[in-house]
Amino acid sequence: MSTHTAEPLATVEIAKTLGLLPEEFEKIKQILGRVPNFTELSVYSVMWSEHCSYKNSIKYLKTLPRKGSRLLVEAGEENAGLVDIGNGLACAFKIESHNHPSAIEPYQGAATGVGGIHRDIFTMGARPIASLNSLRFGSLESAKTRHLLKGVVHGIGGYGNAFGVPTVAGEVYFDECYEVNPLVNAMSVGIVHANKTVSATSHGAGNSVYIVGSATGKDGIHGATFASEEITEDSADKLPSVQVGDPFQEKLLLEATLELIELDAIIGMQDMGAAGITCSTCEMSAKGEHGMRIDLDKVPTRQQNMRPFEILLSESQERMLIVVKPGREADIQAVYDKWDVSCVKIGEVTEGGLIEYYMHGELVAQVPAESLVLGGGAPVYDREFREPAYFQEYQQFSIDSVQQPADLKAVGLFLAAQPNIASKRWVYRQYDSMVGLNNLQTNHPSDAAVIRLTESDKSLAVTVDCNSRYVNVDPYKGAAIAVCEAARNIVCTGAEPVAITNCLNFGNPYNPEVYWQFVNAIKGMGDACRKLETPVTGGNVSFYNQSSDSGPVFPTPTIGMLGILDKPAHHTTLNFKADGNLIYLLGDSKNDINSSEYLVRWHNETKSSGPFFSLEAEAHLQKGVLTIIKEGLLQSAHDISEGGLFINLLESAMAGGLGFNITTDANFRTDAYLFGEAQSRVVVTITPAQQAAFEQRAGALGLPFRALGTVTANTDLTINGTNWGPLSQFDEAYNTALENIMEGDKMP
């Protein structure tokens, strides 16, 4: 082949600097039948990075359940999962990470994470209707953590609010393990008519290839490689790897693209995310079993004299690649001109599987598309794994080693103000949650966000969940709990869980103990998904969340879950409704405080196994709760999670402006009963008139239940005959804790 005169042949040393292993360099030479030049090696370096190829994870990802009666595409087939929700509609949804960029430049890192995940949704033809996020930071005692939190929240709000999609739900956790490596996971949910979806494919020799959206700059170059290495002291020097977002440009791109889809003028379309033009040209070509000729000098750029590899690897935001049907070029141009969005032809589809990149008429790189992509020629590894020494040590913990406090009210107040439990209103007040007016969560709080569909009588229930401490102490159990907790939240709204997307955040896969965590978390997730019949639609793997100083973060397999609420009458909220309503606990209590916020924060004990969990019991409980909800027997439902039964009751009381009077079970330690986090438990309320019917139905369904007490008009909290004080005292602690810290007043 002829090569660009400025393109030297690559060496194994250059390959190493680009993140490729020596054996991978040799494999590239075999594929090409020659030594690659620098541009070609750059292309392989990003496409074979962990971020793009999943080379260290795909073997185990393939073990997850990826088929289901509602799935319209299997995991990995398209940019996002696609679920049939009835009435001719489908839901596209996906979660992805933007961890490393957010650690270096929190505002733009988080903002472009939001923008990127929304593009994955609307390039499939779906209009984004909801945004969620899952965030992890270090201790709030750290000025760095507070700086990162402010920047990330500002970035999410700044992009999402301007783009016009409501942020409806999320979670924020704090632990010292995230001090160097914060986690920023963004999820988007969109709606599309099932017969109007767009595929990320390319075919038809001679068909035109267009780049649309923003001009290409030097921001984000080697961003995929940057995401596939550990954070170090030198990472700040890689600030150009962080992309810069423009939500207003993305809004124009969205509206133009959805209008374009109505014309039925395109063959395929893909967002330019990680690896930019390289990824979109290669993946679309490989899927369509064709090639492309791309003229890089025709790509609109923001800087002069950009080199071929810079144009190819740039991750500038708000860009997409489109393959146009024959004779429809003018139609495409007219739509994007109308919306004042750049639309430029940069190449055409070719026969065969070669991607040829030209610069001013000279061939600068020639690579087989199939050799670059996941599921094609990209390498696949099965790394060594080893059970960590701490695992068996943590299994030895006994509740008998912990003395029960004399003043349990003090514990309750303390827990209510803990950052992992307390209200996150300082965060969510910076987000627009009401744009579109279909978020039912604002006025009707429930365990998952509920979004009304304007073209159907159905609603969607969505949530994100993962208690990473549980996963750290027992990856199999913890990942299964993450799936079940998400499903339990969906069920408590009255919706049926139908599918998940996941964002798998782990340390360095070359660390055998980290890889052991990953392998066992995948097994736990898979078993839970199979049991609950919630297949995996796709997601993201983020390795290398680790530093030499602080070690790996807690393994954090974040679960984004979708549920379908068939009828508005089934929508169930968590708030107490009326004086005299009866409070019941569904599920079995345990003498268990393992890995609870109570054990970790009050007793400073971090070495315990995960909380009690039974997958069989969980599935049985969820099925029973959903049945009772649909039969109209419940006034409220709220699952027990962080903080245990007491925090559950407190949240329902605060949401309803009512108090409660309950009695604990003398068969269990009072602290375990109130603050333990044993799984598979839900608190419900009923009217006195419903009592007989409720107890009969719960018994018939085989659901363990126990009457706890009553909702009270006076707002005092009474437990075992002792008045713990007014609701307002706990409300103040719960609702002001985080904002007091962030506004510099005091630590709890």
Side-chain angles (χ1 to χ4, degrees):
M1 61 171 278
S2 75
T3 58
H4 192 262
T5 55
E7 292 296 322
L9 295 179
T11 66
V12 68
E13 287 75 20
I14 293 175
K16 287 180 180 178
T17 64
L18 295 177
L20 290 164
L21 299 172
E23 57 266 34
E24 292 173 343
F25 181 70
E26 292 301 317
K27 183 176 180 179
I28 293 167
K29 289 197 297 182
Q30 291 175 7
I31 290 170
L32 298 181
R34 54 180 169 78
V35 177
N37 65 33
F38 179 77
T39 296
E40 291 166 337
L41 194 65
S42 296
V43 166
Y44 276 98
S45 74
V46 292
M47 291 303 294
W48 284 8
S49 69
E50 180 64 39
H51 192 71
C52 291
S53 74
Y54 293 174
K55 59 188 177 184
N56 291 308
S57 57
I58 189 62
K59 173 182 176 180
Y60 292 96
L61 295 179
K62 286 182 176 180
T63 67
L64 293 170
R66 301 187 294 169
K67 295 182 180 181
S69 59
R70 292 183 181 267
L71 299 195
L72 299 177
V73 297
E74 283 191 28
E77 284 188 358
E78 297 293 351
N79 285 336
L82 196 64
V83 174
D84 184 356
I85 56 177
N87 302 107
L89 298 176
C91 177
F93 72 114
K94 188 181 183 183
I95 189 169
E96 282 195 344
S97 65
H98 231 222
N99 302 336
H100 281 31
S102 300
I104 304 302
E105 211 300 301
Y107 180 89
Q108 290 294 350
T112 52
V114 172
I117 196 65
H118 283 320
R119 282 195 305 281
D120 276 344
I121 298 304
F122 72 75
T123 52
M124 292 184 67
R127 177 176 291 278
I129 61 168
S131 181
L132 301 87
N133 53 73
S134 174
L135 312 176
R136 301 290 189 282
F137 299 95
S139 169
L140 279 169
E141 295 180 3
S142 163
K144 177 182 178 181
T145 292
R146 297 193 296 274
H147 162 73
L148 290 173
L149 176 59
K150 288 178 181 178
V152 166
V153 170
H154 191 199
I156 292 172
Y159 202 103
N161 296 353
F163 184 56
V165 173
T167 301
V168 299
E171 58 174 4
V172 188
Y173 280 88
F174 303 93
D175 192 276
E176 290 80 358
C177 74
Y178 301 107
E179 182 72 20
V180 176
N181 289 267
L183 303 183
V184 177
N185 297 174
M187 178 174 166
S188 179
V189 180
I191 297 297
V192 61
H193 288 278
N195 62 348
K196 292 186 178 180
T197 59
V198 178
S199 179
T201 190
S202 165
H203 55 77
N207 288 339
S208 298
V209 178
Y210 281 77
I211 187 171
V212 299
S214 295
T216 298
K218 293 186 179 182
D219 54 317
I221 293 174
H222 270 297
T225 308
F226 175 53
S228 303
E229 59 187 25
E230 294 180 11
I231 294 288
T232 68
E233 293 180 356
D234 299 325
S235 293
D237 296 334
K238 298 185 178 180
L239 196 58
S241 293
V242 179
Q243 308 92 328
V244 178
D246 181 348
F248 300 103
Q249 177 70 16
E250 176 130 330
K251 178 63 173 176
L252 295 175
L253 189 60
L254 163 70
E255 299 301 338
T257 301
L258 294 184
E259 181 175 323
L260 173 66
I261 291 169
E262 292 295 322
L263 299 180
D264 191 28
I266 60 176
I267 287 170
M269 176 166 54
Q270 182 162 328
D271 162 47
M272 288 185 190
I277 293 174
T278 297
C279 187
S280 53
T281 53
C282 292
E283 290 187 346
M284 291 178 73
S285 296
K287 184 170 183 179
E289 299 181 344
H290 276 66
M292 283 186 189
R293 175 201 164 112
I294 301 295
D295 293 299
L296 297 176
D297 52 287
K298 294 181 180 179
V299 174
T301 58
R302 293 204 294 268
Q303 283 95 15
Q304 293 183 347
N305 302 318
M306 287 183 68
R307 290 171 288 179
F309 87 91
E310 292 175 322
I311 297 172
L312 280 169
L313 272 57
S314 168
E315 294 181 10
S316 294
Q317 298 292 285
E318 293 83 44
R319 300 178 304 156
M320 303 190 311
L321 196 75
I322 296 177
V323 177
V324 183
K325 289 184 176 180
R328 305 301 300 273
E329 291 83 359
D331 296 332
I332 300 290
Q333 195 74 54
V335 169
Y336 284 107
D337 285 348
K338 169 188 171 182
W339 288 95
D340 196 24
V341 173
S342 172
C343 175
V344 177
K345 180 179 176 179
I346 62 170
E348 62 181 33
V349 178
T350 59
E351 292 288 357
L354 284 179
I355 308 291
E356 296 178 316
Y357 300 109
Y358 286 81
M359 192 75 170
H360 302 297
E362 292 189 73
L363 184 63
V364 296
Q366 185 182 62
V367 292
E370 191 272 343
S371 72
L372 290 152
V373 301
L374 169 69
V380 176
Y381 300 118
D382 185 6
R383 297 297 175 194
E384 174 192 0
F385 56 88
R386 179 177 65 247
E387 181 183 290
Y390 73 77
F391 182 71
Q392 292 301 326
E393 177 188 358
Y394 287 10
Q395 309 308 307
Q396 306 308 311
F397 172 79
S398 169
I399 191 174
D400 296 331
S401 65
V402 174
Q403 185 174 356
Q404 184 168 202
D407 187 355
L408 294 180
K409 175 189 173 182
V411 176
L413 271 172
F414 172 83
L415 289 178
Q418 287 305 295
N420 286 346
I421 290 175
S423 169
K424 307 305 185 294
R425 72 180 187 184
W426 180 88
V427 173
Y428 64 70
R429 281 181 174 178
Q430 299 183 55
Y431 303 152
D432 187 339
S433 63
M434 289 302 294
V435 60
L437 302 177
N438 291 314
N439 178 13
L440 303 182
Q441 176 77 351
T442 304
N443 297 321
H444 306 281
S446 51
D447 280 8
V450 178
I451 309 154
R452 180 176 51 211
L453 299 177
T454 57
E455 298 183 60
S456 170
D457 59 352
K458 298 181 180 182
S459 298
L460 300 181
V462 290
T463 189
V464 287
D465 275 293
C466 179
N467 186 310
S468 53
R469 182 175 297 280
Y470 296 171
V471 187
N472 186 59
V473 301
D474 189 332
Y476 176 89
K477 180 194 288 188
I481 288 175
V483 174
C484 292
E485 164 82 9
R488 202 159 61 243
N489 286 338
I490 297 287
V491 164
C492 285
T493 69
E496 177 189 355
V498 295
I500 76 163
T501 176
N502 56 46
C503 195
L504 309 177
N505 308 272
F506 289 80
N508 192 326
Y510 293 85
N511 178 333
E513 294 186 351
V514 166
Y515 205 66
W516 178 87
Q517 293 174 331
F518 173 76
V519 170
N520 282 276
I522 291 294
K523 291 178 180 177
M525 182 186 306
D527 284 350
C529 286
R530 279 181 281 271
K531 187 67 178 179
L532 301 183
E533 298 182 349
T534 53
V536 180
T537 63
N540 174 229
V541 178
S542 175
F543 280 136
Y544 301 98
N545 295 290
Q546 178 168 336
S547 70
S548 56
D549 294 333
S550 59
V553 301
F554 284 164
T556 311
T558 304
I559 303 298
M561 185 170 280
L562 172 72
I564 298 176
L565 185 67
D566 286 325
K567 296 180 180 179
H570 296 162
H571 183 197
T572 306
T573 57
L574 63 84
N575 53 304
F576 289 156
K577 301 299 189 299
D579 177 44
N581 278 359
L582 306 178
I583 305 171
Y584 277 79
L585 173 65
L586 294 176
D588 287 319
S589 293
K590 301 292 178 181
N591 245 354
D592 183 280
I593 57 174
N594 288 5
S595 290
S596 63
E597 286 291 302
Y598 162 63
L599 179 64
V600 172
R601 304 300 173 186
W602 181 268
H603 292 286
N604 296 311
E605 176 57 75
T606 60
K607 297 178 179 180
S608 68
S609 60
F612 173 82
F613 172 70
S614 163
L615 187 52
E616 290 291 335
E618 180 72 45
H620 184 70
L621 174 80
Q622 291 191 21
K623 185 177 181 180
V625 170
L626 194 56
T627 297
I628 291 175
I629 286 175
K630 289 182 176 181
E631 293 177 358
L633 294 175
L634 300 184
Q635 299 300 303
S636 70
H638 187 22
D639 92 301
I640 294 177
S641 56
E642 287 81 10
L645 173 64
F646 174 73
I647 294 299
N648 170 291
L649 295 168
L650 177 63
E651 289 172 343
S652 293
M654 290 186 296
L658 297 163
F660 59 80
N661 184 342
I662 64 115
T663 303
T664 64
D665 190 330
N667 293 313
F668 303 95
R669 279 178 46 156
T670 307
D671 61 343
Y673 199 78
L674 290 175
F675 309 126
E677 297 174 13
Q679 298 296 293
S680 310
R681 294 181 297 156
V682 171
V683 173
V684 301
T685 58
I686 59 173
T687 66
Q690 294 171 314
Q691 184 175 17
F694 166 79
E695 291 191 353
Q696 186 278 329
R697 197 69 180 102
L701 291 169
L703 287 178
F705 66 89
R706 183 179 184 276
L708 291 175
T710 58
V711 177
T712 60
N714 74 61
T715 56
D716 287 351
L717 310 184
T718 303
I719 299 176
N720 293 335
T722 300
N723 190 324
W724 281 33
L727 177 65
S728 59
Q729 182 181 17
F730 292 88
D731 188 297
E732 174 75 10
Y734 180 88
N735 279 304
T736 65
L738 186 56
E739 57 199 46
N740 284 344
I741 296 170
M742 296 308 295
E743 293 168 7
D745 291 347
K746 59 184 178 180
M747 290 294 297

